[in-house]
């Protein structure tokens, strides 16, 4: 790989300059109290792109107060109009696709083609929930005794606190904001400190689309805990929705207990990728490239462990290794780049540590296995074979471009190994045997299964995990349920 550390596109500075780098509180952009800021880095060069407002706990509580004040009028806003705001925002995102993709690549590092794909995916949540806003149903039934009536209403849960990670800077936000807007909840959103710019740009788009003041407030901060904890413990928020790592999710569930907040948790993964002897190996390699290399491996859905049947292991490994070796690594803004840098020095060090640990325990490096060149946080696409179950990467999320392969002989060995993890977000299965496909899909302990498919993300489908991968679902018909409470009215006197 050779990396160009210089700006490649004259629009790079323009798209960054165009973003309001302030807090969005009660419909107004303003600096943090005391004027504090923190830097945002371009992970492909380690240079600073810009600085954004560093909110204090007072700023956070002011944002929550604005969300609280706006809640009752927003809940009464006609659902059709709430949907139309989302629809307009969908149209704007689509028309600003290229600039938003460039902005995302600059702060997150993924190649432009992947940022474009994420913008499309992110916008789909607004289109989907624009349609769902007018389909919030209820119920009216006769009591079994024939005298009373059971009336069931669904109402917005109330002000929602939202925390998102850096790996999908827009989609992880629209997957929460879309249903909250549709349901009539107000929000305080805190994006990850590495990637605040895309969320700030989204705030601008929603304001332009007609979202009333105070409905969406955005607080950017370097110290996440110091702004989130006061809001969680305050009592005015009624919901906390979090996407991020399992350890932070656990901490936030504990903090939410004091106010008995309604929580939704989209947490870490450790996805197994099973290839059976009857699989179409070429299709499995295509799927593996997507499941492993989408987002440079920095996805909760990333295939973390490959279990391949003995009879096809040599062919699968050879073809996967060839594909990984052929990938172009470099600045995501450059033409033809397929693999960008990792998000920061800490993430790069973690990948180095996990690979070194596996190799020390007997794994063989088929390709890669080391850092890349250049100033940025690059790691080479890597395939490891003979990875023992004692290797840390079989239990921990790698979050990098590393594919560890282990072989198996019997179906039950593969499913037992796949389920031998505290996580349960997604599993991938490649087989042409319909009975086996269904049997294994039922056996796998995961919220989602990719059956002969390397990507499961879809705004129309319920996304989420079991076990330590989370609580609740985002997207699909059930996605709006996370933002609604059920109220029962016992109707008498008939
Ligand atoms: P992270 O460290 O847990 O951070 C996620 C978010 O939580 C960031 O906004 C972070 O803010 C904030 N945060 C950190 N500590 C906090 C605290 N004490 N109180 C309140 N907020 C806090 O995770 P990450 O490294 O950004 O993201 C990667 C993880 O997210 C992986 O485990 C991945 O699997 C998971 N993920 C899951 C899904 C899913 O749908 N299941 C989707 C995407 C990612 P700062 O940035 O300021 O630290």
């Amino acid at each position: 790989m050779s990396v160009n550390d210089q700006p490649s596109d004259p629009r790079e500075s323009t798209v960054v300059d165009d973003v309001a780098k302030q807090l969005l509180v009660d419909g107004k952009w303003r600096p943090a109290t005391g004027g504090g800021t923190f830097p945002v880095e371009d992970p492909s060069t380690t240079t600073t792109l810009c600085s954004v407002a560093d909110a204090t706990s007072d700023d956070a509580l002011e944002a929550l107060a604005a969300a609280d004040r706006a809640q009752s009028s927003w809940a009464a806003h006609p659902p059709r109009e709430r949907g139309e705001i989302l629809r307009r925002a969908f149209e704007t995102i689509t028309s600003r696709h290229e600039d938003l993709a460039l902005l995302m690549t600059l702060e997150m590092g993924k190649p432009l083609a992947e940022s474009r794909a994420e913008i499309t995916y992110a916008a789909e949540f607004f289109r989907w929930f624009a349609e769902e806003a007018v389909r919030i149903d209820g119920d009216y039934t006769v009591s079994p005794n024939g005298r009373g009536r059971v009336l069931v209403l669904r109402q917005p849960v109330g002000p929602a606190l939202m925390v998102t990670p850096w790996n999908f800077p827009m989609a992880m936000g629209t997957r929460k904001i879309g249903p909250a807007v549709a349901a009539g909840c107000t929000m305080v959103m805190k994006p990850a400190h590495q990637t605040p710019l895309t969320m700030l740009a989204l705030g601008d788009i929603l304001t332009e689309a007609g979202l009333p003041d105070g409905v969406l407030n955005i607080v950017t901060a370097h110290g996440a805990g110091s702004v989130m904890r006061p809001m969680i413990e305050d009592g005015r928020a009624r919901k906390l929705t979090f996407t991020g790592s399992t350890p932070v999710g656990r901490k936030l569930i504990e903090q939410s207990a004091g106010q008995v907040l309604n929580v939704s948790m989209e947490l870490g993964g450790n996805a197994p990728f099973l290839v059976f002897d009857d699989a179409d190996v070429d299709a499995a390699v295509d799927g593996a490239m997507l499941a492993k290399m989408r987002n440079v491996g920095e996805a909760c859905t990333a295939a973390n462990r490959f279990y391949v049947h003995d009879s096809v292991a040599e062919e699968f490994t050879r073809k996967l290794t060839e594909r990984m070796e052929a990938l172009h690594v470099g600045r995501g803004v450059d033409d033809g780049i397929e693999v960008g840098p990792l998000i920061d020095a800490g993430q790069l060090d973690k990948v180095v540590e996990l690979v070194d640990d596996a190799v020390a325990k007997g794994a063989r490096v088929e390709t890669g296995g080391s850092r890349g060149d250049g100033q940025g946080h690059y790691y080479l696409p890597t395939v490891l074979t003979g990875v023992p179950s004692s290797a840390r990467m079989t239990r921990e999320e790698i979050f990098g471009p590393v594919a560890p392969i282990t072989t198996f002989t019997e179906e039950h060995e593969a499913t037992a190994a796949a389920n031998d993890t505290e996580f349960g977000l997604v599993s991938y299965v490649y087989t042409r045997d319909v009975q086996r496909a269904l049997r294994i899909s039922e056996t796998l302990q995961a919220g989602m299964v990719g059956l002969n498919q390397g990507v499961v993300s879809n705004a129309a489908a319920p996304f989420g995990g079991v076990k330590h991968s989370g609580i609740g679902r985002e997207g699909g018909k059930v996605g709006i349920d996370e933002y609604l409470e059920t109220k029962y009215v016992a109707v008498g006197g008939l």
Side-chain angles (χ1 to χ4, degrees), residues 16 40 44 46 164 207 274 392 437 462 490:
V16 173
V40 180
S44 70
T46 71
T164 53
T207 305
L274 277 48
R392 278 176 55 197

Side-chain angles (χ1 to χ4, degrees), residues 341-362:
L342 297 175
I343 189 69
D344 56 24
Q347 189 56 39
L348 176 59
D349 288 345
K350 177 163 183 219
V351 173
V352 170
E353 233 178 72
L354 290 178
V355 172
D356 289 353
D357 167 77
V359 171
K361 288 172 179 158

Side-chain angles (χ1 to χ4, degrees), residues 408-431:
F408 70 87
T409 313
E410 303 293 335
E411 181 181 310
H412 66 86
E413 284 174 48
T415 48
N419 287 337
D420 184 19
T421 169
E422 65 181 6
F423 296 105
L425 189 62
V426 59
S427 301
Y428 302 93
V429 182
Y430 274 77
T431 176

Side-chain angles (χ1 to χ4, degrees), residues 164 166 175 190 193 242-245 266-268 300 397 463:
T164 53
W166 47 264
R175 217 160 71 166
K190 194 213 74 67
H193 74 272
F242 171 75
T243 300
S245 62
E266 292 289 347
L267 307 178
C300 52
E397 270 186 302
F463 189 106

Side-chain angles (χ1 to χ4, degrees), residues 301-334:
T301 50
N304 213 58
R305 302 168 288 148
F306 288 84
Y307 297 108
V308 185
H309 192 269
D310 285 324
S311 64
V312 291
E314 189 281 324
E315 182 187 358
F316 178 85
T317 304
R318 179 171 39 81
K319 289 181 170 171
L320 184 67
T321 303
E322 282 166 12
R323 294 277 293 275
M324 293 284 267
E325 259 166 7
L327 291 171
H328 293 100
V329 182
R331 277 198 88 207
V333 293
D334 290 338

Side-chain angles (χ1 to χ4, degrees), residues 38 163-168 172 175 190-195 221-229 232 242-249 251-252 255 265-269 298-301 343 347 397 399 423 425 448 463-465 469-470 474:
F38 65 92
V163 183
T164 53
W166 47 264
N167 62 344
F168 291 98
M172 298 303 95
R175 217 160 71 166
K190 194 213 74 67
H193 74 272
Q194 295 97 331
T195 57
H222 197 260
S226 62
V227 292
M228 288 310 302
R229 191 166 192 149
I232 292 169
F242 171 75
T243 300
S245 62
T246 296
V248 174
K251 198 187 291 185
L252 295 181
Q255 289 177 14
M265 293 280 146
E266 292 289 347
L267 307 178
E298 294 173 313
C300 52
T301 50
I343 189 69
Q347 189 56 39
E397 270 186 302
F399 246 53
F423 296 105
L425 189 62
M448 302 174 286
F463 189 106
S469 288
E474 290 188 328

